[in-house]
Amino acid sequence: MFKISEFSKLSQVPAKTLRFYDQIELLKPAYTDQQSGYRYYKSEQLLDLHRILAFKELGFTLEQIKQLLKDNVSTVEMRGMLRLKQAELHSLIQSKMERLRQIEVRLEQIERQSDGLSQYEVVVKKVEPLLVATLKETTSRASIPGLFEEIDEYLKWDNIPLPVTHMVMRHGCPECESNIDLEIACPIPRKLQDTARFRTVELPGLTVAAVTHISRPDVDTPVSIDLGSWIEENGYQISPEMPSREVYLSTKEGDKLRYVTESQMPILGVGCM
C-alpha cells in the first residue's frame, strides 16, 4: 500500500484533495491507521480516482459522481446521462453566445453615440400586398438563423430559386419572457402546398416607417430607439393590429452573419388615414 503522499505523487492529485474525497466518502483510503490517522491506498484505487477525475472533467458534481460510483451505472445509463449533459452544455453555450452578441450590439450603439453619428434616416413608404411562405414559432431571436435555413429547405423542395429575401414579423408574447411569437416569411411567386409547419398567405399592404441598416437576425438591434423617436416626433402612431417587420435583404459582403436589413414599423397618422 501507498502512503497518501506517495499516492498523491502517483495520481498527480494533491493530498489535500484526497483528504477531502475521504471526508465526503467519495474515495475512502484502503486503510487508515487509527492511532496515527495516516491514510494508505492500494494501486487499484488509481482506477477509481481516474474515473472520478473523468466524471469531474465532464461537468458532473461530486455528489453526482458519488452516486454514479455507488450505483455502478451501466453503459446504456451512462450514455443517457452523457447525452443529457451534452444537451445542457449546448444550451449553456447558446445562452452565452446570445449574451455575447447582445454585448457586441450595445458596444456598437455606444460607439455610434460617442462618435456623434447622426440618427438613421427614416422614410415613410407604402408596402404592397405580398404573397409569402410562412413559418411560425414561439422562440428566442437566437433561433432565427436556424429558422431561415428550415424555410429555405422547404422552398428548395418546392423548386423556388434561392437565395430569397427573409422577413421576420414579431407578434409579441407578453407571457413568454425570453421567447416571442415570431413569423418567418419569404416572398414566393406562386402558392405552395401547405404543411403542418408551413403556410402560404398574402400579407396585406400597409404604410410603414422604415430604416435601412446592418444587423444580425439573432440579436435585438438598437435601431428601434431611433425609429421610435422619429415616429413620436413626426406625429405618427404605431398600428396596433399589424406586427413590425424586419426584412433581411442580403448578407453583408464578407460577413455572412450580418445582413443589409430594412426595419419596418406599420404606422397610422399623418398622411396615412
Side-chain angles (χ1 to χ4, degrees):
M1 288 193 291
F2 299 99
K3 295 179 181 178
I4 190 169
S5 58
E6 295 171 326
F7 192 73
S8 172
K9 192 171 184 178
L10 274 172
S11 63
Q12 298 185 353
V13 173
K16 181 179 179 181
T17 300
L18 294 174
R19 293 189 189 96
F20 177 66
Y21 287 173
D22 179 16
Q23 290 173 7
I24 64 173
E25 298 185 349
L26 179 60
L27 181 67
K28 301 289 291 181
Y31 170 73
T32 301
D33 189 301
Q34 297 300 318
Q35 293 184 343
S36 65
Y38 289 165
R39 297 171 172 85
Y40 295 89
Y41 295 83
K42 293 181 178 180
S43 58
E44 55 261 34
Q45 288 185 281
L46 286 169
L47 178 60
D48 290 335
L49 183 56
H50 288 161
R51 291 183 68 193
I52 291 170
L53 297 177
F55 284 135
K56 192 176 177 183
E57 191 70 25
L58 291 170
F60 291 98
T61 67
L62 294 181
E63 280 300 318
Q64 290 173 328
I65 295 171
K66 187 193 295 187
Q67 196 63 39
L68 287 170
L69 297 177
K70 179 182 178 182
D71 294 345
N72 196 21
V73 296
S74 67
T75 302
V76 173
E77 291 172 321
M78 179 57 64
R79 187 182 297 118
M81 293 183 69
L82 289 176
R83 284 177 175 166
L84 285 174
K85 181 61 66 174
Q86 182 183 47
E88 178 185 319
L89 290 174
H90 276 308
S91 177
L92 179 61
I93 290 170
Q94 182 176 335
S95 174
K96 296 298 183 184
M97 289 300 296
E98 186 172 356
R99 179 166 296 182
L100 177 60
R101 289 191 289 266
Q102 291 171 349
I103 290 172
E104 290 171 348
V105 168
R106 294 307 173 210
L107 282 172
E108 289 179 5
Q109 180 188 12
I110 291 170
E111 289 168 4
R112 187 171 64 86
Q113 291 173 341
S114 63
D115 289 340
L117 298 179
S118 60
Q119 292 182 330
Y120 295 102
E121 184 177 351
V122 180
V123 297
V124 175
K125 68 177 191 178
K126 296 280 188 180
V127 176
E128 299 300 322
L130 187 64
L131 187 69
V132 296
T134 71
L135 160 64
K136 286 186 176 182
E137 186 156 314
T138 300
T139 185
S140 67
R141 288 194 67 106
S143 303
I144 292 177
L147 297 175
F148 283 178
E149 293 178 3
E150 185 178 351
I151 200 168
D152 283 352
E153 284 298 316
Y154 167 70
L155 296 178
K156 192 188 303 182
W157 186 80
D158 271 295
N159 297 314
I160 302 297
L162 300 178
V164 295
T165 298
H166 296 96
M167 181 185 301
V168 177
M169 292 176 285
R170 301 167 61 106
H171 294 278
C173 189
E175 299 179 0
C176 298
E177 297 183 358
S178 61
N179 290 338
I180 47 178
D181 283 342
L182 295 175
E183 185 171 11
I184 311 300
C186 291
I188 51 176
R190 55 183 170 80
K191 182 174 175 60
L192 304 179
Q193 180 69 41
D194 287 351
T195 69
R197 186 76 167 149
F198 301 97
R199 294 187 309 133
T200 296
V201 300
E202 184 174 73
L203 300 179
L206 69 166
T207 300
V208 300
V211 169
T212 301
H213 56 105
I214 303 294
S215 73
R216 289 177 56 150
D218 52 350
V219 181
D220 278 318
T221 171
V223 73
S224 58
I225 298 173
D226 291 335
L227 192 56
S229 297
W230 186 93
I231 291 172
E232 190 175 42
E233 290 170 3
N234 288 272
Y236 290 92
Q237 292 182 337
I238 295 174
S239 173
E241 288 85 14
M242 305 302 299
S244 61
R245 300 178 181 180
E246 294 169 359
V247 185
Y248 296 91
L249 303 171
S250 61
T251 54
K252 183 181 177 183
E253 186 175 353
D255 189 345
K256 294 183 179 180
L257 296 176
R258 295 179 183 272
Y259 287 75
V260 178
T261 309
E262 185 176 82
S263 293
Q264 302 176 349
M265 182 61 68
I267 54 174
L268 305 170
V270 182
C272 299
M273 303 302 288

